Amino acid sequence: MSGMTVYKRRRDELIKKLGRSVAIVKGAPEQTRSHDTEYPYRQDSDFFYLTGYTEPGAACIIDPNNQDHPFQMFVLPQDPKKEVWTGWRLSFEETEKKFGCDRAADIAEFENSALESLKKATKVYTNLNHNKDHHHTVLEWLQQVRKEVQRSGGGPEGIESLGAITHEMRLIKDAHEVELMEKAAQISADAHIRAMQASKPGIFEYQLQAVLEHHFVYEGGAGPAYTSIVGAGDNATVLHYVKNADEVKDGDMILIDAAAEYQMYAADITRTFPANGTFTKAQRELYDVVLKAQKAVIEAAKPGVPYKTLHELDLKLLVEGMLEIGLLEGSYDEIIEEKKYQDYFMHNTGHWLGLDVHDMGKYMVDGESRSLEPGMVFTVEPGIYVNSRSDAPERFRGIGVRIEDNILITEEGNRNLTDGVPKEVDEIEALMGRK
Ligand code: GLY
Ligand code: MN
Ligand code: MN
């Protein structure tokens, strides 16, 4: 399935779930970067998921009570003077055809059409995400309509989050989404290989960032799916190190957490490797603990497994490993109970991945960890971070290691979408030309 069919199938599913309620959905606003220049525009993920529409200034109404126009889109009208600056806009007829809507109209008509739809709806669903203004506007419309139709007993009872429906749908990727995520993963994996090959003492972190991001865009990606992290030495121990400003030193380990967004879908890859291409003994000891845990967690990921058991397994193996190499001391039980491992491992083992890098969808359902199902995609990303100020054994100080892959659950088990980039010690050393 491809093209507009996927969006129609999603809207049909949404319409079934709406019953007699209406969804009033707004596209993402443009964001100012400085003075009168904007950040590159990126559509709201839910809006995109339902429409496939990537231009700014749009909204849509999905209304099961509207027999003639269950799917209406509201877009910026054609305006030759503005189009000279920002590019051609489709006519309403072209929009209807291209996006399969029953009616396309000027965004200026959005309010009146929304008010009409609200009169017949039992509830209204809006995308809450980052667009607070839209939520307030819909609340005002709802109050207005309730006053108008009070005597006939109508008007929606309240506002619900559209995400309650769409985020559950987004959790299970369809074939079209898997294809795009495979492409995002492949571009990102190739970029990591190039960055490893370019690494050497004396290079700057931002130069490696440039190698990665050049490849993302060169291969047709929108750019990085999130701010690239390139940290050498102690910088690798800072979880969200995004300055990428320092020179790489001989003997450093380099941690790169960077990936492309491709046609709105994110990959999310981390690799850690020695700047000079050869692991020291201490680097390898730490690395092997993380690698062993990461591989075991991936091995354990299959349908029916509760998601939280992956983190539990990861934690167990990391703590056992840290005890073995002498990074942690004491009893296993005490380290777990008192969370002493948090000195070196302080984040979760992974997260859902899709249109958003930290993708939507609940991790718990009715108080229970949700079970893995075919079509789910998530990251597996254990790490150990020993910063230079730590009182850990000296040989481990200033080393941060994370290894992160993107895993698709299949009927049989799982598929690693990012296995195109090496993570075995021998493979990394060979790739960097030191073996
Ligand atoms: N790159 C963001 C994360 O790993 O969660
Ligand atoms: Mn991640
Ligand atoms: Mn990451």
Side-chain angles (χ1 to χ4, degrees), residues 226 257 268-270 350-351 353 357-358 379-381 402 404 406:
Y226 51 90
D257 184 348
D268 184 4
I269 303 181
T270 308
H351 50 83
L353 182 69
V357 66
H358 294 166
T379 66
V380 175
E381 49 178 308
R402 179 164 65 254
E404 175 174 29
N406 303 163

Side-chain angles (χ1 to χ4, degrees), residues 133-347:
D133 291 348
H134 174 54
H135 191 60
H136 292 152
T137 306
V138 172
L139 182 60
E140 278 169 20
W141 291 347
L142 181 141
Q143 286 166 335
Q144 184 181 329
V145 165
R146 284 188 61 79
K147 270 186 222 152
E148 279 174 29
V149 295
Q150 187 186 9
R151 288 184 183 276
S152 56
E157 295 297 338
I159 303 190
E160 300 277 339
S161 165
L162 177 72
I165 301 176
T166 49
H167 298 168
E168 286 301 293
M169 290 166 66
R170 281 171 53 186
L171 192 52
I172 308 294
K173 273 68 182 174
D174 59 36
H176 177 68
E177 293 182 290
V178 169
E179 228 172 82
L180 297 177
M181 292 193 75
E182 278 170 343
K183 180 76 176 170
Q186 179 227 318
I187 293 172
S188 308
D190 290 347
H192 273 261
I193 289 175
R194 284 164 184 253
M196 277 184 199
Q197 287 171 328
S199 291
K200 57 185 178 196
I203 198 164
F204 280 77
E205 292 164 342
Y206 56 77
Q207 292 179 309
L208 295 177
Q209 178 187 355
V211 170
L212 290 148
E213 294 183 6
H214 165 270
H215 192 73
F216 297 162
V217 177
Y218 195 86
E219 291 302 316
Y226 51 90
T227 310
S228 301
I229 296 171
V230 182
D234 210 30
N235 293 341
T237 68
V238 178
L239 298 181
H240 287 167
Y241 175 78
V242 290
K243 286 190 197 146
N244 306 343
D246 289 348
E247 186 176 357
V248 173
K249 308 270 180 337
D250 200 9
D252 280 350
M253 285 279 268
I254 304 174
L255 183 153
I256 296 181
D257 184 348
E261 179 174 293
Y262 182 76
Q263 293 192 17
M264 299 290 285
Y265 284 85
D268 184 4
I269 303 181
T270 308
R271 287 294 185 267
T272 313
F273 52 91
N276 61 20
T278 310
F279 285 79
T280 66
K281 189 166 174 297
Q283 287 169 351
R284 189 171 177 156
E285 277 178 76
L286 266 189
Y287 189 88
D288 280 344
V289 173
V290 179
L291 182 63
K292 186 175 164 195
Q294 206 246 8
K295 283 162 56 174
V297 170
I298 293 174
E299 179 79 29
K302 47 171 124 12
V305 169
Y307 181 72
K308 74 166 188 196
T309 61
L310 300 184
H311 182 65
E312 289 164 356
L313 175 63
D314 186 28
L315 189 55
K316 173 176 177 288
L317 292 171
L318 288 178
V319 170
E320 282 174 2
M322 288 192 271
L323 278 167
E324 218 166 278
I325 63 172
L327 178 57
L328 284 174
E329 282 179 357
S331 86
Y332 174 89
D333 290 342
E334 187 186 295
I335 290 165
I336 295 284
E337 260 159 45
E338 294 178 18
K339 298 195 165 127
K340 287 187 175 164
Y341 56 83
Q342 285 186 345
D343 286 351
Y344 308 120
F345 173 54
M346 56 298 267
H347 57 72

